[in-house]
Amino acid sequence: MMKSLLCWPEPVIRVQSLSASGILEIPERYIKSPSHRPSLNNDVSQPQEVDVPVIDFQNLFSSEQGLCDEALRCVHNACLEWGFFQVVNHGVSHELMKRTSEVWHEFFNLPLEEKQKYANTPATYEGYGSRVGVEKGASLDWSDYFFLLLMPLSLVNQNKWPATPASCRELVAEYGGEVVRLGGKLMKVLSMNLGLEEDSLLNAFGGEENVGACLRVNYYPKCPQPDLALGLSPHSDPGGLTILLPDENVAGLQVCKNDSWITVKPVPNAFIINIGDQIQVLSNAIYQSVEHRVIVNSNEDRVSLALFYNPKSDLLLKPCEKLLTKDRPALYKPMTYDEYRLTIRTKGPCGKKQVESLKSIRQSD
């Protein structure tokens, strides 16, 4: 279906251009329904920030068993209680993180005609975009983005990546390689915490050579009415893990916890990790993906880099046999990631409706 959609159902408007035009009121398409707007009890330009768990990643591989066990416990508890955590001392160069973020700031500040060379379509989403779902007349988010593929290598085409700034392709390749490696290590940690062989989750994703990885660079322009809009609507991530490099200087990411939206306070040089729907399926809901969204503000633009670490797209995914018991049978029916992500690519972000719809009806023996 998606392959046949070669263009968007209506003209694409770049949100950055709307923001730069000096409008005082946002178009109706970007106004969220009252129940989905950021809380008016707080000034959205000064959101209340909360510390999500911070894990010292190097301790997970420490020769001191006590440090290692404590770090594993911290990750396990964060996955159970939050579905989100931050990692420091993760092995990715801080300088590389900084330079990669800066080069994307430069890209989004290029003239529109330069960025338009990379305009994307619904067929692959790769390239410069401003919407996700293809439904005509859908509510839109206050953001632009650049989406590109990093893994498997057989699908990578660097000609689809920005040639300007000149260092962009080289930095993205280096950054992608480092963060994908981090993703593989995280998968081993989650496997161990679930009581599985350390390569179990990675193998379920197709193994190191076959995992899917893609980068979505998000650009959230200044918004004249931030209390009415969202940079990204509530959703859980459809893939495996998300490794986010946030904007340290501008708050934006909000996580739903205990039915309240809380703003994540980024730690310098940390990645924010969150559990995706496919880990929820494989773990049979021991670990659950969590709804999150992005708020915008009237004073600052914001750039974040989300690397999605995903299963091989045509593999059937289902709960790991070792995690099933008579009292806790498989909660999800098998499905490929290709089939699964079709919904978000059609309708756009939709909370946790998609993963909940997978739940299988328990059969009587």
Side-chain angles (χ1 to χ4, degrees):
M1 174 195 166
M2 300 304 295
K3 293 295 181 190
S4 63
L5 290 170
L6 299 178
C7 58
W8 299 100
E10 52 213 341
V12 173
I13 298 170
R14 301 305 178 189
V15 180
Q16 186 177 8
S17 300
L18 277 177
S19 175
S21 72
I23 57 170
L24 299 178
E25 294 183 356
I26 62 175
E28 192 175 340
R29 295 286 300 278
Y30 299 91
I31 297 176
K32 299 301 177 187
S33 64
S35 62
H36 287 139
R37 292 173 193 169
S39 170
L40 300 180
N41 300 329
N42 299 321
D43 175 0
V44 292
S45 65
Q46 295 288 321
Q48 201 67 30
E49 296 183 1
V50 175
D51 295 312
V52 303
V54 179
I55 314 293
D56 188 333
F57 199 72
Q58 66 184 1
N59 288 346
L60 289 162
F61 304 95
S62 171
S63 55
E64 289 186 41
Q65 196 59 45
L67 277 180
C68 183
D69 290 345
E70 177 60 22
L72 283 168
R73 209 162 26 245
C74 287
V75 172
H76 183 59
N77 290 338
C79 290
L80 290 176
E81 294 171 25
W82 286 83
F84 270 78
F85 55 95
Q86 301 190 67
V87 290
V88 295
N89 296 322
H90 40 64
V92 180
S93 157
H94 296 170
E95 179 65 19
L96 178 61
M97 293 161 70
K98 179 171 178 283
R99 287 171 60 211
T100 307
S101 181
E102 284 173 351
V103 85
W104 283 109
H105 274 274
E106 290 175 38
F107 172 80
F108 283 106
N109 285 323
L110 290 172
L112 181 60
E113 56 269 23
E114 181 65 28
K115 292 178 289 196
Q116 282 292 112
K117 294 176 185 176
Y118 302 96
N120 71 349
T121 72
T124 67
Y125 282 99
E126 196 162 13
Y128 177 49
S130 297
R131 61 182 295 166
V132 180
V134 295
E135 290 191 336
K136 193 171 183 178
S139 173
L140 297 176
D141 291 332
W142 193 260
S143 59
D144 299 325
Y145 63 86
F146 200 104
F147 183 88
L148 54 86
L149 300 175
L150 295 166
M151 290 283 288
L153 294 176
S154 58
L155 297 182
V156 173
N157 179 359
Q158 288 198 8
N159 291 326
K160 295 182 177 181
W161 303 3
T164 310
S167 59
C168 187
R169 290 177 178 173
E170 183 184 340
L171 283 170
V172 166
E174 186 180 356
Y175 176 87
E178 291 287 313
V179 182
V180 167
R181 272 193 287 280
L182 173 60
K185 292 176 184 175
L186 284 162
M187 293 286 279
K188 290 184 178 182
V189 169
L190 297 187
S191 288
M192 290 189 288
N193 273 337
L194 288 166
L196 303 169
E197 296 292 322
E198 70 170 35
D199 287 335
S200 290
L201 293 179
L202 187 57
N203 288 340
F205 271 33
E208 270 180 18
E209 299 302 313
N210 293 311
V211 294
C214 47
L215 183 68
R216 178 179 155 128
V217 185
N218 306 296
Y219 183 82
Y220 303 105
K222 288 177 280 198
C223 180
Q225 295 177 296
D227 53 326
L228 300 180
L230 286 171
L232 197 52
S233 293
H235 64 288
S236 59
D237 289 335
L241 287 173
T242 302
I243 305 173
L244 180 76
L245 177 58
D247 190 317
E248 286 180 17
N249 303 310
V250 187
L253 175 65
Q254 291 191 323
V255 176
C256 188
K257 184 168 171 60
N258 301 326
D259 295 323
S260 295
W261 289 104
I262 57 173
T263 305
V264 177
K265 182 180 181 182
V267 171
N269 300 314
F271 285 109
I272 299 172
I273 313 296
N274 70 274
I275 300 295
D277 294 346
Q278 304 309 316
I279 294 293
Q280 178 168 330
V281 168
L282 287 170
S283 72
N284 207 34
I286 294 172
Y287 293 159
Q288 298 190 25
S289 59
V290 172
E291 265 192 277
H292 50 286
R293 69 182 187 184
V294 176
I295 56 173
V296 291
N297 69 77
S298 56
N299 303 316
E300 303 273 2
D301 298 337
R302 181 171 171 271
V303 171
S304 68
L305 282 67
L307 186 139
F308 302 111
Y309 191 96
N310 296 331
K312 187 173 184 287
S313 65
D314 58 355
L315 285 180
L316 274 180
L317 278 97
K318 61 181 182 177
C320 295
E321 293 288 339
K322 192 173 178 181
L323 300 179
L324 306 183
T325 65
K326 187 175 181 183
D327 295 328
R328 193 180 177 88
L331 294 173
Y332 305 98
K333 54 192 176 190
M335 183 180 281
T336 68
Y337 185 50
D338 264 341
E339 293 171 304
Y340 184 83
R341 65 183 172 189
L342 190 59
T343 297
I344 195 167
R345 288 195 165 186
T346 305
K347 299 181 180 296
C350 53
K352 285 203 65 173
K353 289 180 186 171
Q354 172 69 349
V355 71
E356 296 308 324
S357 74
L358 270 192
K359 286 193 174 173
S360 53
I361 299 167
R362 187 174 177 183
Q363 304 286 331
S364 56
D365 293 330

